[in-house]
Amino acid sequence: DAKTTQPPSMDCAEGRAANLPCNHSTISGNEYVYWYRQIHSQGPQYIIHGLKNNETNEMASLIITEDRKSSTLILPHATLRDTAVYYCIVTEWGANSKLTFGKGITLSVRP
Amino acid sequence: GAVVSQHPSWVICKSGTSVKIECRSLDFQATTMFWYRQFPKQSLMLMATSNEGSKATYEQGVEKDKFLINHASLTLSTLTVTSAHPEDSSFYICSAIAGELNTDTQYFGPGTRLTVL
């Protein structure tokens, strides 16, 4: 069973920020939060991950609540090419850490 | 960096034949590689985990004699679907962990679409 809960879908306007929520209320102390996205008929693309601090890279920002029970992925300026299924995954850090993919959230960016 | 390729990108075969799919890490050495499959409108399901030079670890319900995995080098893993049947038609995706980059992040290949007639 996936350890995360995400809404099935959301949309946003092109150029606006897309805030994708994720609940992971049973996360344990040594588990990280990972975000991947999958554009139709392609392999998943790594976006960002974090443990407890907020993280930012060239693609997105990850905001993790202080109790670590939820997080938000922020795409600051969504484009049409950001339309994809976004997966929030929690997993332990380790050489054989498995990723359990849930259903993800389908983000549709409208012109 | 951290680019993973797969070959072929798509393949069509007859029922009963075997198909080999290659997964390569192009710019790093992959200590661990994973194989997933994805049926239409479903999420990715992990099939097996392989470490270079050792036998693959299969997930429950995945037949190891049907899905042969070889990870003979740090840049190449192969998945062979033996005696393929129409129900094996799926999107097969590999991922790799770049141990030399001191990260546990999995980087995914573009996937291989298998159609068994």
Side-chain angles (χ1 to χ4, degrees):
Chain A
D1 291 335
K3 300 179 183 178
T4 63
T5 303
Q6 300 175 256
S9 63
M10 67 175 291
D11 62 15
C12 74
E14 189 176 19
R16 304 297 295 269
N19 298 310
L20 287 68
C22 180
N23 286 324
H24 30 79
S25 58
T26 60
I27 191 171
S28 61
N30 58 347
E31 288 184 315
Y32 285 69
V33 180
Y34 276 80
W35 282 84
Y36 285 82
R37 72 181 182 184
Q38 186 177 26
I39 296 171
H40 183 63
S41 295
Q42 297 182 23
Q45 177 188 20
Y46 166 75
I47 301 173
I48 199 168
H49 75 279
L51 182 61
K52 55 182 179 181
N53 297 323
N54 297 337
E55 303 288 344
T56 296
N57 62 22
E58 64 278 5
M59 290 184 67
S61 294
L62 174 61
I63 308 299
I64 302 175
T65 57
E66 192 170 344
D67 63 7
R68 303 213 315 130
K69 293 185 177 181
S70 66
S71 60
T72 301
L73 179 74
I74 301 173
L75 306 179
H77 305 287
T79 70
L80 298 179
R81 288 179 294 180
D82 292 322
T83 293
V85 179
Y86 288 75
Y87 297 98
C88 169
I89 303 169
V90 297
T91 186
E92 290 186 19
W93 183 272
N96 285 344
S97 296
K98 298 179 181 180
L99 298 178
T100 300
F101 285 80
K103 295 182 179 180
I105 178 172
T106 299
L107 172 67
S108 299
V109 181
R110 61 180 187 274
Chain B
V3 178
V4 178
S5 70
Q6 284 185 238
H7 178 80
S9 55
W10 60 270
V11 57
I12 302 172
C13 70
K14 293 182 178 180
S15 185
T17 61
S18 296
V19 174
K20 180 184 286 188
I21 302 171
E22 293 185 348
C23 176
R24 293 181 185 274
S25 56
L26 298 185
D27 52 0
F28 65 96
Q29 294 186 327
T31 53
T32 305
M33 287 183 165
F34 302 83
W35 285 96
Y36 297 78
R37 63 182 168 184
Q38 184 176 31
F39 293 107
K41 298 189 185 301
Q42 296 186 21
S43 192
L44 282 78
M45 294 294 293
L46 179 65
M47 299 176 66
T49 303
S50 74
N51 292 295
E52 183 265 342
S54 61
K55 291 184 178 180
T57 302
Y58 291 81
E59 295 300 299
Q60 190 172 8
V62 178
E63 301 174 56
K64 62 179 182 181
D65 294 329
K66 180 170 182 62
F67 299 99
L68 302 179
I69 293 173
N70 184 288
H71 191 166
S73 79
L74 284 172
T75 59
L76 173 64
S77 176
T78 60
L79 168 68
T80 301
V81 183
T82 62
S83 187
H85 292 285
E87 57 265 30
D88 298 322
S89 297
S90 187
F91 192 47
Y92 291 86
I93 310 167
C94 71
S95 70
I97 290 178
E100 65 190 44
L101 298 179
N102 194 28
T103 175
D104 272 4
T105 299
Q106 289 186 34
Y107 294 93
F108 286 80
T112 297
R113 188 161 302 282
L114 169 64
T115 302
V116 185
L117 301 177

